[in-house]
Amino acid sequence: MTDEFRPGRPLPSEERGTQERLLYHIQRVSGEWCTMSREEGSWQWRQLRGGGDDGYGRGSWREMHAWLAK
């Protein structure tokens, strides 16, 4: 059995349940694990194992969730 590396806390289902400068993780619909954090109202996210041009981003909560749905 192998443990998956999942840094940070699980991402809450609502933005109001998050804190700034705290690292979160969640799995994309594609199956890849991702991390994200919020600073000054803007979210930054990235896929843990690369992902090419689509492996990272910055924007709103809604934009982040659109990316996670891919």
Side-chain angles (χ1 to χ4, degrees):
M1 183 173 133
T2 61
D3 290 323
E4 298 257 350
F5 178 61
R6 295 183 193 138
R9 297 180 181 182
L11 184 69
S13 59
E14 295 184 12
E15 185 174 22
R16 67 178 176 209
T18 65
Q19 296 177 25
E20 289 213 355
R21 298 183 179 151
L22 196 62
L23 187 65
Y24 296 97
H25 70 265
I26 195 168
Q27 196 170 19
R28 285 180 87 176
V29 170
S30 65
E32 294 293 330
W33 284 96
C34 308
T35 61
M36 59 276 305
S37 64
R38 177 173 56 97
E39 188 166 339
E40 296 181 10
S42 182
W43 285 90
Q44 295 181 34
W45 55 87
R46 73 180 315 157
Q47 215 167 272
L48 287 178
R49 292 191 177 96
D53 292 339
D54 189 42
Y56 58 92
R58 180 183 182 101
S60 69
W61 176 261
R62 179 177 282 183
E63 291 168 321
M64 180 177 66
H65 278 275
W67 177 79
L68 289 167
K70 292 181 182 178

